[in-house]
Amino acid sequence: MPFCSVFAEQTLPQLQRYLDDGTLRIEFRDLALFGDESVKAATAARAAGGQGAYFEFAHELFAALPNEGHPDIPDELVFGIVTDLGLDLERFKADWANPAHAEAVARDSQEAQSLGVSGTPAFVVGSQFVSGAQPLEVFQQLIEQQAAQLG
């Protein structure tokens, strides 16, 4: 989670102009590498997504967790974020308990591993694979190169 957090907090916001002008579309897939806590985070984001707040929840969770190690994710932290976002907490709890979310996380993780992805974050920009939290310039260059090839 730490490198995902670094990307989400530092790099992703700086790519907003590519999202705004339609050059970039971001799709998130889960790769639960660090056991139960990774699954817990991924399923919580999916449950928040049921109320239209997947990205907001993920951002707040990344911001709340340290950018080192693989921290525990207390339920109280999750519920606090849900409440702060103005989501329906009881609906969130019911959605979070839905086994379909864990099954979807497992499917995403299996797909990533079958493609040889062994770490997070990992990215596909057009036809290029990028592994790890790279500097902003790497993403800008790849996005612009790939967009020019399509253009």
Side-chain angles (χ1 to χ4, degrees):
M1 186 168 306
F3 292 119
C4 292
S5 186
V6 169
F7 174 80
E9 291 177 50
Q10 298 174 12
T11 307
L12 183 57
Q14 296 182 64
L15 298 176
Q16 187 64 45
R17 70 181 173 102
Y18 296 110
L19 293 166
D20 291 344
D21 71 12
T23 301
L24 179 65
R25 182 188 83 216
I26 295 179
E27 255 183 50
F28 281 83
R29 303 285 175 95
D30 296 306
L31 177 53
L33 289 175
F34 303 114
D36 292 343
E37 294 304 299
S38 292
V39 172
K40 186 176 186 178
T43 55
R46 286 173 178 262
Q51 296 184 52
Y54 177 94
F55 295 107
E56 294 85 351
F57 176 88
H59 175 78
E60 292 301 322
L61 183 62
F62 282 135
L65 295 172
N67 288 344
E68 56 191 37
H70 304 293
D72 289 339
I73 303 170
D75 288 356
E76 297 75 30
L77 172 64
V78 171
F79 298 150
I81 293 170
V82 167
T83 301
D84 289 348
L85 291 173
L87 305 180
D88 179 326
L89 182 58
E90 293 311 310
R91 177 178 167 198
F92 171 85
K93 288 179 180 179
D95 289 347
W96 197 18
N98 184 338
H101 291 309
E103 292 164 8
V105 170
R107 277 193 308 275
D108 277 2
S109 296
Q110 289 167 353
E111 178 185 23
Q113 291 170 349
S114 75
L115 296 171
V117 178
S118 59
T120 60
F123 309 89
V124 176
V125 181
S127 63
Q128 298 295 310
F129 177 77
V130 180
S131 182
Q134 301 293 322
L136 173 65
E137 296 75 23
V138 169
F139 289 102
Q140 289 173 322
Q141 182 178 12
L142 276 172
I143 291 166
E144 290 171 13
Q145 284 174 350
Q146 293 295 307
Q149 289 178 9
L150 294 173

